[in-house]
Amino acid sequence: MSRIVNQDALNGIAARIGEVMGRCGQKMATAESCTGGWIAQTLTTIPGSSGWFEAGFVTYSNAMKQTVLQVPADYFNAPDAPGAVSEQTVLAMARGALRLAAVDWAVATSGIAGPGGATPGKPVGLVWIGWATHNTCTAAAFQFKGNREQVRYQAVAAALEGLHARLHKAATKLQ
């Protein structure tokens, strides 16, 4: 569970992300569905973020995930398609943002914030988060509790915490 408890704490981790990005001379982008731009908003709250934050893509519909981020249509339309809330989709979203914005890092989210939208095997609160660089692309599933806002908030916190951990690890390797 996240240690981040409010927007000020989110802003604090965003500032730490900005410090690492700036120090390493890298840039990033976001590809968001269920978080609706909240990750990008939090990151761009940081003074100087224009030096390392390049773009945010809010692709809420499956059609926009396909059109903008080039997520394969088969992920949504094939008989055994993984669907929008899946590892495959969130990794494709992250890769799409990485490619479109020509950046070093991307983070992507897709989930079911509720109160509706649950399907068998995909309950309200399920969120997939993906993190990508040109060399690696990883994703994790989270099952958050609470109302729509709480689920979205927890998803933003997990996305930022995951990004910070990966950046810190990469920056340590560069030193």
Side-chain angles (χ1 to χ4, degrees):
M1 194 65 147
S2 174
R3 296 172 309 238
I4 298 176
V5 295
N6 59 37
Q7 187 66 46
D8 287 339
L10 286 178
N11 294 348
I13 196 164
R16 291 191 297 280
I17 288 167
E19 289 170 16
V20 176
M21 286 282 184
R23 188 170 66 247
C24 295
Q26 297 189 328
K27 294 186 183 261
M28 70 161 299
T30 61
E32 301 181 64
S33 187
C34 65
T35 50
W38 195 343
I39 298 168
Q41 185 276 330
T42 299
L43 291 167
T44 59
T45 297
I46 306 308
S49 58
S50 62
W52 49 269
F53 186 85
E54 197 68 20
F57 303 94
V58 178
T59 54
Y60 211 70
S61 72
N62 292 346
M64 286 298 100
K65 287 176 182 69
Q66 292 171 59
T67 302
V68 176
L69 298 174
Q70 298 180 347
V71 175
D74 288 352
Y75 287 11
F76 310 110
N77 304 327
D80 291 326
V85 182
S86 67
E87 178 179 21
Q88 297 92 324
T89 295
V90 82
L91 290 175
M93 290 171 65
R95 287 186 199 105
L98 196 70
R99 182 182 59 257
L100 280 171
V103 293
D104 306 289
W105 290 88
V107 61
T109 59
S110 188
I112 304 166
T119 61
K122 293 186 181 181
V124 169
L126 175 64
V127 178
W128 275 94
I129 302 173
W131 300 270
T133 69
H134 294 287
N135 299 322
T136 62
C137 201
T138 60
F142 296 85
Q143 182 61 57
F144 300 120
K145 302 283 186 221
N147 63 30
R148 182 177 181 80
E149 183 176 356
Q150 291 165 334
V151 167
R152 294 176 71 229
Y153 180 87
Q154 291 169 82
V156 172
L160 292 173
E161 287 174 326
L163 177 62
H164 183 258
R166 286 161 175 78
L167 279 169
H168 181 72
K169 184 177 178 182
T172 302
K173 288 181 182 178
L174 292 174
Q175 295 175 353

